[in-house]
Amino acid sequence: LKTIHVELKDRRYPVFVGQGLLGHAGSLLRRRGFAAAPVIITNRRVFRLHGPAVLQSLDKAFGRAPVIKIGDGERFKDHSTLLKIYKALIRLHANRKSWILALGGGVVGDIAGYAAATFMRGIPWVMAPTTLLSQVDSSVGGKVAINVAEGKNLIGAFHQPSAVLSDTNALRTLPKRELRSGLYEVVRSAAIQSEPLLCYLERKLPGILSVRSREIEHVVVEAVRIKAAVVESDERESGLRMILNYGHTIGHALEAATDYKKFKHGEAVGWGMIAALEYGSELGLLGVDQKAQLIQLIQRVGPLPSLRGISVESLWDSLMLDKKFSSADIRMVFLRKLGQAEIRTRIEPASLRKFLQRFLNHQQRSEPRP
Ligand SMILES: NC(=O)c1ccc[n+]([C@@H]2O[C@H](COP(=O)([O-])OP(=O)(O)OC[C@H]3O[C@@H](n4cnc5c(N)ncnc54)[C@H](O)[C@@H]3O)[C@@H](O)[C@H]2O)c1
């Protein structure tokens, strides 16, 4: 068991990473000071795979924990699911002393965390992330949110969990595409902050992709350390935390331009990083060899869905709708070298648009015809 502390003054909390942690959730959380059973929020699929171990362990420590199951998928991260959660909490006579255990990936974490942030003006919650993406990224930092028709994560809050339990064994049941999607985020974290982690990924990729215990644990621990350090220095995303958006500006636009149907979030970030590397290299920020080295790693993580059929107009329209994007002062994250990021301000819109046109043309031409 490894413990990384997210140091946020009065809201300091531990991220536990280890194999088989879900089977010890009860005793671990009892030691953290919780006295009664939580309300578990999860989805059917995750509950079928990992619910019994969690329930049994909570049962021993606290007695029976009630379970609220939500639909599986991004489209359920919305206000009608949220309302169902509030109503279920009220039916269960939850009160200000209740707490929530979110068991699942980023979707469950984001909506259960938002429910915890708002129910009775805020109750504690613990996240037990079961996807690689949620273990290395969304479970750390306290950003919780739901989607509305006008955009993703537009309604949200900062509500730090009281603890995070990342059981790396849970990743063994994860579909391979989901695993790879999380791994692109690990590459992102390494690219902006840690050359040693990049080298480790290059050396151990096969072991990581087959979820070998030692390798996957190392990767989760290191990625959590990076995310925790960035969040500690900029909890509310006013400055440094923006470097976590590396690959995300263009990544988000790709997801939006394809109606969130074609790419997993991590895959879009994979493409976003490749685009940022190419653009950064055109701007003279990163050497050609380093660019090629990182693109090769991204491609080794797995096949990225094709960019065919995506027009520069749709990509540009989506960029302009991004809540983090302001056409008056376009900011983007680039690499100065591998393991070191830099925020560039005042990017010329016309230059970025021309680059995107070239990038799409080039990628679409070099793809094999279907
Ligand atoms: N809060 C943040 O800081 C933050 C950061 C990044 C992403 N996010 C959010 O995270 C969400 C994406 O999260 P995700 O990629 O984890 O997707 P997800 O929660 O939809 O999970 C992906 C799929 O894997 C299944 N699954 C989960 N754990 C499993 C397991 N152990 N075995 C088998 N199947 C399992 C889920 O049921 C789902 O079908 C998005 O909504 C995104 O906005 C939030």
Side-chain angles (χ1 to χ4, degrees), residues 121-132:
R121 298 200 183 85
I123 59 173
W125 72 299
V126 167
M127 172 76 192
T130 59
T131 63
L132 183 59

Side-chain angles (χ1 to χ4, degrees), residues 5 9 20 31 36-37 88-89 105 130 139 151-152 183 208 237-238 241 333 354-355:
H5 287 280
K9 298 194 187 103
R31 261 180 272 143
L89 287 170
T130 59
S139 62
K152 276 190 62 174
L183 212 42
I208 298 164
E237 207 167 81
S238 47
R241 194 162 170 176
V333 188
K354 275 194 200 128
F355 162 76

Side-chain angles (χ1 to χ4, degrees), residues 43 45 50 72 74 77 105-107 110 130-131 138 143 170 173:
N43 72 32
R45 185 204 308 217
H50 302 288
D72 186 2
E74 187 70 37
K77 204 176 101 177
V107 166
D110 274 14
T130 59
T131 63
S138 64
K143 284 209 291 182
T173 58

Side-chain angles (χ1 to χ4, degrees), residues 13-156:
Y13 60 93
V15 179
F16 301 112
V17 182
Q19 300 161 41
L21 271 192
L22 290 179
H24 301 281
S27 51
L28 261 172
L29 293 170
R30 197 153 192 120
R31 261 180 272 143
R32 289 290 309 160
F34 288 106
V39 176
I40 298 176
I41 299 182
T42 185
N43 72 32
R44 226 166 274 285
R45 185 204 308 217
V46 175
F47 190 70
R48 180 170 49 77
L49 293 164
H50 302 288
V54 178
L55 268 188
Q56 201 180 28
S57 145
L58 291 175
D59 219 12
K60 270 196 219 141
F62 304 109
R64 194 95 201 132
V67 182
I68 300 174
K69 289 181 206 152
I70 64 169
D72 186 2
E74 187 70 37
R75 69 197 169 92
F76 292 101
K77 204 176 101 177
D78 68 351
H79 64 280
S80 62
T81 305
L82 185 67
L83 197 60
K84 281 187 197 144
I85 293 176
Y86 291 145
K87 286 182 184 266
L89 287 170
I90 294 165
R91 261 199 316 277
L92 290 165
H93 304 291
N95 57 37
R96 302 202 61 194
K97 295 207 176 89
S98 305
W99 60 287
I100 286 172
L101 177 68
L103 174 69
V107 166
V108 167
D110 274 14
I111 194 165
Y114 188 67
T118 45
F119 186 73
M120 306 232 167
R121 298 200 183 85
I123 59 173
W125 72 299
V126 167
M127 172 76 192
T130 59
T131 63
L132 183 59
L133 181 125
S134 56
Q135 294 193 354
V136 299
D137 191 358
S138 64
S139 62
V140 181
K143 284 209 291 182
V144 292
I146 59 164
N147 306 325
V148 286
E150 287 74 11
K152 276 190 62 174
N153 301 324
L154 288 185
I155 312 297

Side-chain angles (χ1 to χ4, degrees), residues 189-220:
S189 294
I192 58 168
Q193 286 287 62
S194 167
E195 203 183 359
L197 181 56
L198 268 186
C199 295
Y200 187 87
L201 291 168
E202 281 171 337
R203 276 189 293 122
K204 304 281 187 180
L205 196 59
I208 298 164
L209 285 169
S210 45
V211 200
R212 278 223 294 271
S213 309
R214 193 200 302 199
E215 280 89 344
I216 201 79
E217 195 176 309
H218 180 81
V219 159
V220 173

Side-chain angles (χ1 to χ4, degrees), residues 163-206:
V164 178
L165 301 185
S166 284
D167 183 344
T168 49
N169 282 356
L171 305 178
R172 298 215 171 115
T173 58
L174 197 61
K176 281 285 175 260
R177 190 174 169 200
E178 296 292 348
L179 185 78
R180 289 199 303 263
S181 178
L183 212 42
Y184 296 112
E185 294 281 14
V186 178
V187 172
R188 179 279 320 259
S189 294
I192 58 168
Q193 286 287 62
S194 167
E195 203 183 359
L197 181 56
L198 268 186
C199 295
Y200 187 87
L201 291 168
E202 281 171 337
R203 276 189 293 122
K204 304 281 187 180
L205 196 59

